[in-house]
Amino acid sequence: MSDFSFQQAFEWLSSAIASVVFYAIPINGAALPVTVLWLVLGAIVFTCYLGFINIRGFSHAIRVVRGDYADKTDKGDITQFQALSAALSGTVGTGNIAGVAVAIALGGPGATFWMIVAGFLGMTTKFVECTLAVKYRVYNADGSTSGGPMYYIKAALDKYGLPRLGSFLAAFFAIACVFGSAGFVHVNQGFSQVKLVTGFDNAWVFGLVYSFLVGLVIVGGIQSIARVTSKLVPLMCAIYLSAAFVFLAMHFDAIPAAIWTILHSAFAPEAAYGGVIGVIIQGFRRAAYSNEAGIGSSPIAHSAARTKDPVSEGFVGLLEPFIDTVVICTISALVIVVSGVYLQPGLDGVQMTSAAFGSVFDWFPLVLMVALLLFGYSTVVSWSFYGLKSWTYLFGHSDFTQRSFKVLFCTVVAIGAVPNMLAVFDFIDSMIFLMAVPNILALYLLLPEVKQDLKAYLLKHKG
């Protein structure tokens, strides 16, 4: 089979999988992907069933992350703050910069409001995921931990007398996670931005350097990843948000009008955006891409947290969508709406965000390049851990198994900057959202015991 025919076959396979995974239901002229509906409905059910723990437990979550209840003798590989940082580094990324712009381009300013709503709902999904990730984690012979959806998926279906189905769905999740962890997209987007800003045009050199930098971190395991991300996440957020705050301070008088535009457009949008339903769909869709609540990725990082109480890690997890979607995405949206660039034709994604900042800062494309590189790098590093844990779930936790995955992962990163890989992007996106199918199912099955555990936890920490 020639290389060309192989490429054609892969493109056909990728397109076929994506057409199933992202199958959309037409509603009032807008298309609602079934995967997004699966995630959003789960988030609504979890939020209502647990009595809006995403809101009433917020202050307690801050205290947990701050270390008020930390005990160094608890089992685990990293601190709860490091677990949050590692998980955030996997979700805070281009979705916060380009994804918001896409939502506004397709759904108007009102999509921002529904992104925020979806972010609040997603906080509860993360709470449930991260609680179960710690509760059902296992301890390896070397003392390290392994946890995540593949473990509680199996446990959930075992409890309902379906062990074979549980084993199949757990393996299905792990396989999808291994493929989904490939860093093609972030390496490719990083190279594109570097090429645009600096003119550097050697994809292979960029990929090799990127791969080397990733390898330096992931060879040390979760402790090394956590050390890097606990410093990198605050840094990259500070760089991006500092520019945003300066921009908004310079346009302070326009902020109230921008907020009004967002709220008004959320409930009375123009027909061009597909009406209210179209705006809601775009907001929910981009939020799902942004914070990955329900996908099942970040619970793998949270399962390594040093705590004896699974519910405490659930509180840590609920902060993720708040920081990722409610805070960072909202600020990005305000910059775009205040600047008015969303009204200019021909701008989309990163171009829109860059144009918004560029209206004030001539040098912002350089800052955006640095921010995208940091966001992308941290995401690749975190997803390497998710892929590793899924790999070892499938093939064992031996040193050889771990080393083989790391070598394979760095090889994939090295070729990620090569252009013309749209089929690969579609395939990876499909794998990531396929993870949500067995994950959400397990969350439904184990939700009653999460509620019981939460009740016991709150009684213990009352007052």
Side-chain angles (χ1 to χ4, degrees):
M1 181 180 287
S2 68
D3 291 340
F4 182 70
S5 61
F6 173 79
Q7 181 179 346
Q8 284 184 318
F10 182 79
E11 288 177 354
W12 176 86
L13 175 65
S14 177
S15 177
I17 294 174
S19 66
V20 174
V21 176
F22 297 107
Y23 176 78
I25 304 171
I27 302 177
N28 195 33
L32 174 61
V34 175
T35 49
V36 174
L37 182 63
W38 180 239
L39 292 168
V40 172
L41 286 179
I44 293 172
V45 171
F46 305 150
T47 299
C48 295
Y49 187 79
L50 296 178
F52 292 86
I53 192 62
N54 52 336
I55 297 174
R56 62 190 178 96
F58 187 82
S59 60
H60 182 77
I62 298 294
R63 293 195 294 273
V64 174
V65 172
R66 201 167 56 192
D68 290 4
Y69 308 99
D71 186 345
K72 293 182 179 180
T73 63
D74 287 346
K75 291 184 178 180
D77 301 327
I78 55 178
T79 68
Q80 291 182 296
F81 174 75
Q82 288 176 327
L84 176 63
S85 297
L88 272 173
S89 68
T91 58
V92 176
T94 52
N96 304 90
I97 299 175
V100 176
V102 170
I104 293 175
L106 298 176
T112 303
F113 174 83
W114 296 109
M115 281 189 75
I116 295 170
V117 171
F120 271 112
L121 293 172
M123 290 168 69
T124 313
T125 302
K126 290 273 186 171
F127 173 86
V128 178
E129 289 179 305
C130 296
T131 297
L132 293 172
V134 173
K135 183 172 184 176
Y136 288 99
R137 67 184 176 183
V138 299
Y139 297 94
N140 304 309
D142 59 3
S144 64
T145 61
S146 291
M150 46 279 197
Y151 293 92
Y152 61 71
I153 289 170
K154 178 72 169 65
L157 288 159
D158 281 354
K159 291 188 176 188
Y160 283 82
L162 299 168
R164 290 185 179 179
L165 180 60
S167 297
F168 170 77
L169 290 179
F172 177 89
F173 175 92
I175 292 170
C177 187
V178 168
F179 281 109
S181 68
F184 284 111
V185 178
H186 303 286
V187 181
N188 197 279
Q189 289 182 336
F191 173 69
S192 297
Q193 190 67 16
V194 169
K195 181 180 177 180
L196 177 67
V197 175
T198 68
F200 180 79
D201 194 23
N202 193 317
W204 288 106
V205 171
F206 180 88
L208 286 171
V209 172
Y210 205 112
S211 176
F212 174 74
L213 294 175
V214 169
L216 286 178
V217 176
I218 69 174
V219 71
I222 185 60
Q223 289 91 348
S224 176
I225 292 172
R227 282 196 300 271
V228 171
T229 55
S230 64
K231 295 177 177 61
L232 195 57
V233 168
L235 173 63
M236 65 189 190
C237 289
I239 291 174
Y240 181 70
L241 293 180
S242 294
F245 286 139
V246 171
F247 178 94
L248 293 174
M250 295 175 68
H251 297 82
F252 185 77
D253 294 343
I255 293 177
I259 293 174
W260 167 249
T261 298
I262 290 172
L263 293 174
H264 181 264
S265 299
F267 298 97
E270 298 176 25
Y273 294 126
V276 175
I277 299 298
V279 176
I280 293 174
I281 289 173
Q282 288 304 325
F284 281 5
R285 182 172 184 173
R286 299 323 304 185
Y289 275 91
S290 174
N291 60 52
E292 297 175 7
I295 297 296
S297 51
S298 59
I300 300 175
H302 284 279
S303 69
R306 193 177 299 129
T307 179
K308 62 178 176 293
D309 201 321
V311 176
S312 71
E313 196 58 30
F315 280 104
V316 174
L318 69 77
L319 292 174
E320 273 185 63
F322 179 81
I323 296 170
D324 178 281
T325 305
V326 178
V327 175
I328 300 179
C329 287
T330 299
I331 291 173
S332 294
L334 277 176
V335 169
I336 291 170
V337 176
V338 164
S339 68
V341 295
Y342 70 96
L343 297 172
Q344 298 178 18
L347 294 179
D348 194 11
V350 174
Q351 293 178 343
M352 186 184 293
T353 309
S354 184
F357 282 102
S359 64
V360 172
F361 311 118
D362 293 338
W363 40 264
F364 185 76
L366 182 61
V367 174
L368 185 63
M369 180 193 75
V370 174
L372 281 174
L373 285 174
L374 289 176
F375 284 148
Y377 177 76
S378 67
T379 300
V380 170
V381 166
S382 289
W383 271 89
S384 74
F385 181 69
Y386 304 156
L388 173 63
K389 285 301 179 181
S390 296
W391 182 269
T392 55
Y393 178 83
L394 293 168
F395 302 111
H397 198 265
S398 69
D399 288 341
F400 172 77
T401 303
Q402 295 183 66
R403 283 196 298 269
S404 64
F405 175 82
K406 291 174 183 178
V407 171
L408 180 62
F409 186 86
C410 288
T411 302
V412 168
V413 169
I415 63 175
V418 179
N420 302 321
M421 302 180 71
L422 291 179
V424 176
F425 296 168
D426 285 342
F427 180 78
I428 292 173
D429 279 347
S430 298
M431 292 298 104
I432 290 173
F433 277 86
L434 274 177
M435 292 160 59
V437 177
N439 182 52
I440 294 290
L441 174 62
L443 299 187
Y444 276 120
L445 295 177
L446 296 174
L447 191 57
E449 69 178 62
V450 171
K451 185 173 185 177
Q452 186 177 10
D453 292 344
L454 173 59
K455 185 178 180 180
Y457 178 90
L458 293 177
L459 285 174
K460 184 170 65 175
H461 292 277
K462 189 176 182 180

